[in-house]
Amino acid sequence: MLDLATRVYNHNFRIDPIVRSLLDTDFYKLLMAQMILRRHPDVSVTFGIHNRTRSVRIADEVDIDELREQLDHARSLRLGRGEATWLRGNAFYGTRRILSAEFIAWFEQFRLPAYELAVRDGQYELSFHGSWLETTMWEVPALAILNELRSRATLRGLGRFDLQVLYARAMTRVWEKIERLRRLPDLSIADFGTRRRHGFLWQDWCVQAMQEGLGAHFTGTSNCLIAMRREVEAVGTNAHELPMVYAALAEDDAALAQAPYDVLRDWQQDYEGNLLIVLPDTYGTTGFLRDAPDWISAWTGVRIDSKDPIEGGEEVVAFWTSRGCDPREKLAIFSDGLDIDTIEQIHAHFHGRMRIGYGWGTLLTNDFRGLVGNRLDPVSIVCKVSEANGRPTVKISDNPSKAQGPEAEVERYKRVFGVEVQAALPVLV
Amino acid sequence: MLDLATRVYNHNFRIDPIVRSLLDTDFYKLLMAQMILRRHPDVSVTFGIHNRTRSVRIADEVDIDELREQLDHARSLRLGRGEATWLRGNAFYGTRRILSAEFIAWFEQFRLPAYELAVRDGQYELSFHGSWLETTMWEVPALAILNELRSRATLRGLGRFDLQVLYARAMTRVWEKIERLRRLPDLSIADFGTRRRHGFLWQDWCVQAMQEGLGAHFTGTSNCLIAMRREVEAVGTNAHELPMVYAALAEDDAALAQAPYDVLRDWQQDYEGNLLIVLPDTYGTTGFLRDAPDWISAWTGVRIDSKDPIEGGEEVVAFWTSRGCDPREKLAIFSDGLDIDTIEQIHAHFHGRMRIGYGWGTLLTNDFRGLVGNRLDPVSIVCKVSEANGRPTVKISDNPSKAQGPEAEVERYKRVFGVEVQAALPVLV
């Protein structure tokens, strides 16, 4: 029997919104925003979209008016009453009240700030200028909107059965990966795929598939809205934007050298336990670990995000050992361009030697490779902070393909952080 | 928004009926029933289920009470008013009023007759005794019920995502076959998969996929209900039961030798055009064609159903040529255990030499092989007439694996029809 009311109601939408809630973002944005609100409420920055996959001309694929409509719709959102209740009442990483009353009060009045949009050479120049606290909240929704609009542009040309079989194939692909994951002993894996997802409903499906397929070995999702609806953990810690802004604000080379550790010193005053995960690669993992103060070895773990995962894992095992820690009590989180093959390789190499967690992103929530030619293949698109209080930000990374910043500044940072010759790895996603 | 009425209504069903309409049967049963009503209304026969795949113990898999419920439900069905209207108003094979007012009047008062059910050695002995006209109508629903109950018994143990991915895989498999079919020039293919289908909804999905994927190259379905709902042709002609009953009723060897041709003589008085398809293999194709009167070469085509398709096709090409007909004006219909590989082979061999049609059955509507171990693999289960007016029926076939009848009678038939040594082919489906 047709549900007439629902059908009529659905046809009343002016658009089909991609982002329908301010919680449709990654949990670590809230943790970082709370730290920014406490400590750096007056810093101004610029965030901007950058498509590393230059061969894909997104502005030719995605209509600019549709993009504006979606961005404008996201700007109309406010935190819902039930959403605020969930943030207040939920235990994150087993701890209640991680988010302060002050932060939630700020979030309740928050709206996404203005954006600037232009087209150059087939790419969108989408940027956000203003308060760090506000502009940082654009990262995830802006990327999710661009990626889903790109999917929709391709899907629009398909027939009803082509669509059904497309999703049948994609579901089969995800499920076969999950069946392989099931065989890994002591697996802990989370969904980190919000920003690059094929679409919201697809990410939601992937999370449910992981829940059913992996049970307690699926440790959660970075997406707050899906975590709330599916009653799983919201997970994540922090990102490169923290050391990048701290570094840009440093007054001299000595302060610059300390900036990455200053971030962690601040962070550990605010958070504890599983939130104490070092992200060491912003200015090169090797130098970071070499110069790290001893209290950093007391942190719960390290996230390995741009170095070859075996090499990066060995490096942190050696670091912990050199500082007198037992790596088997430490946690390494792998989160860089993972797919089932790399997860299996990492697991085969490190299982039993340290605790392992996986943050699985794009190739969980957007592996439609080859299903409509290459038109649904994911692209490596990011939203990065490019300046803070008028000074350019710099990222070195362990993989030169992910570096950013003005050349002279990059050279200065390399000198200050003692970065040596690096091997470039291809950036797939 | 939840459609409360639908939800409450659905929960009111005592069972989930498999066969919900008397039109959920193959069209050729109606054509044959009309001929039986006209010419043999007083013949009594026995039909019985036979599972050729003895290794699968269906009675261990399917609960006997559920089987009874489904059979009893089918017995409660009557032809609906809209269904009768469709039979009256529809053009079959481009011809209106193929089904007479007399036949439709009979069908409107028809109910499926009583059945007998027992279990022996892990198999159901399900049989139907009585009027040929009535018992013949059990063949397709009885098989569809047994096959779908078998599917359901396996599906019951699966979780929600296992189910979703199971169907995703099966859909992908069907669609990949359709994509290969698209490449075949001058393709004509129909769905013959009612009796062995995985389930009604699945057959309905397969038909829609064939419609979307093949357009006019999909020439229809044997299933009347699906043909009506999806607005495609209902297709099919006749089956082995006609010569088998005619042969059993023959009074002596001379009459027996003529029986297969008597069937066709009667048939062509009632039907024309694309309904004039010879099914020559009941007592061996070679002898049938050798002894065939010339008027049979004037028929539209031949259905090749138990011989190796290449060999059988070559044999009918030689037959037409020897009778002075141009094979390119003749139609060969292949319908025995087809799958995409065999279809491609047949097409590569015969395309351009004669007109070709495919009646694709089990491996269209029930190819779940290997998807839940082997528990959803189709079995070769048939419902055959075993006696007529107290005399045993006999089938020789071109494939000894498909032969049936008491040994002495089989020997007599072989002598009468001049059947020589035959090569057994495996019966997959």
Side-chain angles (χ1 to χ4, degrees), chain A residues 50 52-53 306 380 382 395-404 422-428:
Chain A
H50 177 66
R52 294 172 183 150
T53 312
S306 60
S380 182
V382 293
K395 186 181 177 192
I396 305 288
S397 177
D398 289 325
N399 182 356
S401 312
K402 290 183 170 184
Q404 73 169 75
Q422 298 173 311
L425 299 174
V427 178
L428 178 62

Side-chain angles (χ1 to χ4, degrees), chain B residues 138-345:
Chain B
W138 261 119
E139 180 188 10
V140 177
L143 290 170
I145 284 171
L146 259 175
N147 280 304
E148 186 161 348
L149 281 178
R150 204 175 150 249
S151 303
R152 289 186 184 179
T154 294
L155 299 177
R156 207 165 278 155
L158 301 186
R160 187 173 144 224
F161 274 71
D162 279 330
L163 282 170
Q164 194 168 19
V165 172
L166 171 70
Y167 283 105
R169 285 179 170 149
M171 284 177 181
T172 302
R173 186 176 286 181
V174 169
W175 195 250
E176 284 171 354
K177 293 180 184 182
I178 291 173
E179 286 177 330
R180 284 168 63 182
L181 288 176
R182 272 185 183 153
R183 298 183 206 125
L184 301 182
D186 306 314
L187 180 72
S188 285
I189 191 164
D191 158 39
F192 276 22
T194 303
R195 66 193 59 204
R196 303 266 185 75
R197 68 193 182 198
H198 169 80
F200 173 77
L201 293 174
W202 181 248
Q203 184 184 16
D204 189 42
W205 186 89
C206 292
V207 165
Q208 293 172 74
M210 295 279 276
Q211 279 184 285
E212 173 152 326
L214 300 177
H217 298 285
F218 174 58
T219 53
T221 171
S222 60
N223 188 295
C224 299
L225 183 63
I226 295 175
M228 180 175 83
R229 291 208 184 143
R230 300 298 163 199
E231 302 190 1
V232 294
E233 284 278 319
V235 297
T237 55
N238 53 58
H240 300 106
E241 70 177 275
L242 295 182
M244 286 167 75
V245 172
Y246 273 55
L249 299 181
E251 291 299 337
D252 53 32
D253 286 359
L256 176 59
Q258 280 311 303
Y261 309 114
D262 292 343
V263 169
L264 302 189
R265 198 181 296 274
D266 287 351
W267 188 266
Q268 73 179 359
Q269 286 179 12
D270 294 353
Y271 303 114
E272 59 187 12
N274 273 346
L275 292 179
L276 298 185
I277 302 293
V278 183
L279 179 63
D281 67 330
T282 314
Y283 303 116
T285 296
T286 306
F288 179 93
L289 295 177
R290 180 188 63 220
D291 302 336
D294 258 346
W295 53 264
I296 285 183
S297 62
W299 276 39
T300 305
V302 171
R303 182 150 73 96
I304 296 163
D305 197 51
S306 59
K307 196 162 257 200
D308 171 84
I310 303 296
E311 196 184 319
E314 288 295 350
E315 195 165 354
V316 299
V317 166
F319 167 71
W320 286 319
T321 308
S322 75
R323 301 293 175 111
C325 304
D326 182 349
R328 288 171 301 179
E329 292 170 4
K330 294 293 182 182
L331 176 62
I333 292 182
F334 295 89
S335 61
D336 182 28
L338 294 181
D339 201 3
I340 181 66
D341 293 329
T342 41
I343 293 171
E344 287 175 344
Q345 285 157 13

Side-chain angles (χ1 to χ4, degrees), chain B residues 372-388:
Chain B
V372 183
N374 62 2
R375 289 164 57 208
L376 287 180
D377 291 17
V379 292
S380 182
I381 183 168
V382 292
C383 182
K384 287 290 182 189
V385 60
S386 59
E387 62 87 17

